[in-house]
Amino acid sequence: MPEGDTVWQAARRLHDALAGKTLTRSDLRVPKYATADLTGRAVLEVTPRGKHLLTRIEGGLTLHSHLRMDGSWKVYENGRRWSGGPSHQIRAILATTDRTAVGYRLPVLELLRTTDEHRVVGHLGPDLLGPDWDPGQALANLLSDPARSLGEALLDQRNLAGIGNVYKSELCFILGATPWLPVGGLPAARATVVPALAKKLLEANRDRPIRSTTGRRGQDLFVYGRAPRPCLRCGTPIRVADQGDGSRERPTYWCPTCQLGPTPAPGGTRARNRTPHGN
């Protein structure tokens, strides 16, 4: 699923294909922008901001897109068959003399003034892969609501931008805390390393075709998507439950032995509440 590292990769592919070139075709297949024509304008750059993509275009325009769960941008050499999905899923086409970028299943696509980019990304916290990265501010943001669960705080893009559901689960495992542990319950020594650890994981994966948090070939993730297989550390079956992020419930994975703190009991109530300790 698209998170900060995969969005960074998408931005690089689009930038390499389009930047410095003039658009020979422009087709935005959303009602509000169906008549917008960018043909004849040069693409200046494509840059990521957290999970957002900003394609800056000559004349002070920015095409803003967000992939969310299923969206993707594919780049094809002209004359090659498009293979990203059926045509009715195409939301955007940007072509130059040699490459065509096709946006599939984009839930967010809007054309705005570059000077108005703050309207769509101004709320974001420090970008884990961006030039504005500020670990001190990211930590302060995370600790600003100590009663909030760690998983929800990590997913909140206003705290730090780029973490999605996969990294949420993996970070909590590495920290030895369940995603339901209140942020304020995380020992200070662990809390202070959260921003640096998150940045390390995303930076390590931004150039990889397959995301890995374990460093083990064939065993790429510690917990995400692994229920009920055994934990790679202790052998306990990995568990999964839904956790909200303020907008929707998301499947959340954890090891009940390696991660300490509250967990959901059957029926949705929180069961045991064990305090994390150092290791």
Side-chain angles (χ1 to χ4, degrees):
M1 74 180 51
E3 302 195 19
D5 53 345
T6 49
V7 172
W8 190 92
Q9 292 171 9
R12 182 173 61 178
R13 288 194 301 271
L14 289 170
H15 182 86
D16 290 347
L18 302 177
K21 301 176 182 178
T22 299
L23 294 174
T24 58
R25 181 183 178 186
S26 160
D27 186 358
L28 305 182
R29 298 182 180 180
V30 293
K32 187 175 180 179
Y33 305 106
T35 61
D37 187 4
L38 303 174
T39 303
R41 297 175 186 259
V43 175
L44 305 179
E45 64 177 338
V46 183
T47 186
R49 181 73 173 86
K51 300 181 188 179
H52 300 252
L53 282 165
L54 302 171
T55 301
R56 294 174 179 143
I57 300 167
E58 183 181 24
L61 297 176
T62 293
L63 184 65
H64 166 237
S65 58
H66 195 297
L67 306 180
R68 290 191 180 165
M69 296 293 290
D70 301 315
S72 68
W73 279 96
K74 304 291 185 181
V75 175
Y76 305 98
E77 293 182 2
N78 287 351
R80 294 289 298 272
R81 183 173 179 269
W82 299 353
S83 57
S87 59
H88 71 266
Q89 294 182 347
I90 295 174
R91 296 293 176 267
I93 301 171
L94 299 175
T96 68
T97 55
D98 61 343
R99 300 286 182 87
T100 299
V102 185
Y104 291 90
R105 300 171 298 278
L106 300 175
V108 176
L109 185 70
E110 57 183 325
L111 188 64
L112 64 153
R113 283 287 179 190
T114 301
T115 52
D116 291 333
E117 286 181 359
H118 63 277
R119 291 198 298 103
V120 294
V121 296
H123 65 287
L124 298 175
D127 186 343
L128 283 155
L129 296 178
D132 71 321
W133 174 242
D134 183 339
Q137 185 60 57
L139 180 61
N141 293 346
L142 287 170
L143 298 178
S144 65
D145 186 356
R148 193 176 193 186
S149 69
L150 178 61
E152 291 181 17
L154 289 171
L155 280 182
D156 191 335
Q157 302 300 294
R158 296 170 297 182
N159 290 333
L160 65 172
I163 294 176
N165 208 35
V166 176
Y167 281 118
K168 176 198 78 173
S169 293
E170 295 295 292
L171 278 165
C172 288
F173 176 82
I174 295 170
L175 291 166
T178 71
W180 292 271
L181 178 77
V183 173
L186 195 64
R190 295 194 193 183
T192 56
V193 304
V194 172
L197 178 58
K199 182 175 179 63
K200 180 179 179 180
L201 288 179
L202 266 71
E203 282 190 332
N205 283 289
R206 68 182 181 184
D207 293 316
R208 291 175 177 165
I210 298 176
R211 182 183 291 141
S212 175
T213 60
T214 65
R216 306 180 188 184
R217 180 172 295 182
Q219 296 177 326
D220 300 309
L221 301 175
F222 284 112
V223 292
Y224 188 85
R226 298 194 65 251
R229 285 176 285 173
C231 174
L232 297 179
R233 283 184 179 169
C234 72
T236 303
I238 298 299
R239 294 182 61 188
V240 60
D242 286 335
Q243 182 182 37
D245 68 346
S247 62
R248 60 181 294 178
E249 295 291 309
R250 297 175 183 267
T252 299
Y253 299 82
W254 80 99
C255 172
T257 299
C258 295
Q259 293 171 255
L260 304 179
T263 61
T269 59
R270 292 186 181 178
R272 58 187 176 90
N273 188 353
R274 299 160 61 198
T275 303
H277 54 78
N279 58 20

